[in-house]
């Protein structure tokens, strides 16, 4: 795991009318690391993630990618840099199968006039898709049926695996286990670890402190629109994290 940050937010400000969602927020993530982003409701987590995903623009502050300042006009700008995000709604097309969802918006077209007429390389997409799911250990068994009837864990695994397939630098996961049972949660967390082990920087947004301590390398705490603490996950505990979130304890910055 590199100690150099690949993606940073510095002094980010975001206002909605008279409401300030982010007030000088900082954040950074490193390759081959799972960074947990935690905070109470209204702390600014989702706003910060939307900004770093290109879905919103900050009112002030700067974003650095691989050490250089960048501006993201939209999510496509982030994706072009290898940054993918899985939001809570998953953004799956329910009527499509897992392979079609994997390639949604990135379909492989046949060469020449056939591609211009809309014909896709379906066999190649299926072969590569099955390989991608298997390589990440995603628990997907049915590749031909629509995702509508699949379990929450399988749907989540498809969304996470899709993001991991196309991400080359950073992947954001917003509450990936919020609606899952124990077994499904374990499967998704195992998948998150495997993604981290490929060298990607993973950002995990969650309310589950046990999950944070189980999988994260570092923990960033937001409170009232600011990052108030950074902890090494193996050097903290639930009580300390909750104290930093609520203001009961002073946080500490980690190296």
């Amino acid at each position: 795991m590199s100690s150099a940050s690949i993606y940073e937010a510095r002094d980010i400000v975001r206002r909605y009318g008279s409401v300030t969602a982010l007030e000088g927020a900082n954040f950074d993530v490193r390759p081959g690391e799972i960074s947990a982003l935690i905070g109470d409701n209204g702390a600014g987590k989702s706003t910060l993630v939307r900004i770093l995903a290109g879905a919103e623009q900050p009112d002030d502050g700067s974003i650095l990618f691989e050490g250089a300042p960048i501006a993201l006009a939209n999510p496509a700008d982030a994706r072009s840099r290898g940054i993918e995000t899985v939001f809570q709604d998953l953004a799956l097309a329910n009527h499509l199968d897992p392979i079609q969802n994997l390639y949604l918006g990135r379909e492989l077209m046949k060469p020449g006039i056939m591609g211009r007429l809309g014909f896709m390389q379906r066999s190649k997409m299926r072969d590569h898709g099955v390989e991608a799911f298997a390589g990440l250990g995603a628990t997907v068994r049915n590749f031909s049926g629509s995702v509508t009837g699949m379990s929450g864990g399988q749907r989540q695994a498809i969304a996470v695996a899709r993001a991991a397939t196309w991400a080359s630098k950073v992947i954001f996961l917003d509450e990936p286990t919020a609606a899952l049972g124990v077994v499904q949660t374990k499967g998704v967390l195992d998948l998150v670890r495997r993604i981290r082990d490929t060298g990607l920087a993973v950002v995990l947004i969650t309310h589950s402190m046990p999950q944070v301590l189980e999988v994260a390398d570092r923990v960033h705490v937001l409170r009232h629109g600011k990052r108030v603490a950074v902890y090494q996950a193996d050097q903290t505990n639930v009580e300390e994290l909750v104290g930093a979130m609520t203001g009961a304890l002073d946080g500490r910055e980690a190296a």
Side-chain angles (χ1 to χ4, degrees):
M1 179 174 63
S2 171
S3 60
S5 299
I6 189 172
Y7 203 30
E8 296 181 67
R10 294 183 180 176
D11 302 319
I12 298 294
V13 175
R14 183 69 170 104
R15 303 183 184 93
Y16 301 95
S18 61
V19 177
T20 300
L22 295 173
E23 190 173 3
N26 295 298
F27 181 73
D28 69 287
V29 64
R30 302 165 182 170
E33 173 189 78
I34 298 174
S35 290
L37 182 60
I38 66 172
D40 206 350
N41 291 333
K45 303 185 302 298
S46 294
T47 301
L48 181 59
V49 170
R50 287 197 298 270
I51 288 172
L52 291 174
E56 292 191 23
Q57 287 69 49
D59 296 311
D60 202 356
S62 57
I63 299 173
L64 280 74
F65 179 70
E66 296 184 323
I70 63 170
L72 301 175
N74 50 54
D77 280 353
R79 290 194 294 269
S80 71
R81 292 174 168 86
I83 301 165
E84 294 283 340
T85 305
V86 179
F87 293 106
Q88 292 187 48
D89 63 4
L90 302 184
L92 295 179
N94 289 328
H95 64 290
L96 300 180
D97 63 40
I99 303 298
Q100 292 168 325
N101 269 283
L102 182 71
Y103 280 95
L104 189 62
R106 295 181 169 99
E107 292 83 0
L108 301 180
M109 310 307 295
K110 289 183 178 293
I113 190 172
M114 296 297 287
R116 292 193 293 273
L117 290 173
F119 289 90
M120 293 179 284
Q121 300 183 64
R122 298 185 183 277
S123 295
K124 186 174 182 179
M125 289 164 58
R126 179 180 174 80
D127 291 344
H128 287 181
V130 171
E131 183 179 340
F133 283 124
L136 289 168
T139 56
V140 180
R141 301 290 179 265
N142 181 4
F143 294 102
S144 58
S146 71
V147 302
T148 301
M150 295 185 178
S151 69
Q154 287 179 316
R155 289 169 56 83
Q156 189 66 257
I158 291 168
V160 173
R162 178 179 64 186
T165 297
W166 301 112
S168 60
K169 300 294 184 178
V170 184
I171 179 170
F172 289 90
L173 304 174
D174 192 0
E175 297 285 356
T177 63
L180 304 183
V182 174
V183 174
Q184 294 174 328
T185 293
K186 181 182 183 304
V188 170
L189 293 180
D190 286 344
L191 179 55
V192 170
R193 291 189 189 94
R194 282 191 286 271
I195 293 170
R196 183 267 315 276
D197 293 342
T198 67
L200 285 177
V202 181
V203 181
L204 179 65
I205 303 94
T206 181
H207 283 87
S208 173
M209 296 302 101
Q211 288 178 22
V212 165
L213 296 176
E214 181 182 350
V215 302
D217 298 297
R218 287 191 301 154
V219 185
H220 305 249
V221 184
L222 289 187
R223 187 172 74 246
H224 301 317
K226 294 182 179 180
R227 184 175 69 179
V228 296
V230 185
Y231 297 97
Q232 294 290 346
D234 60 0
Q235 298 175 15
T236 187
N237 54 53
V238 171
E239 291 74 16
E240 189 172 39
L241 295 178
V242 172
M245 288 170 55
T246 60
L249 296 174
D250 290 330
R252 64 168 181 265
E253 290 291 322

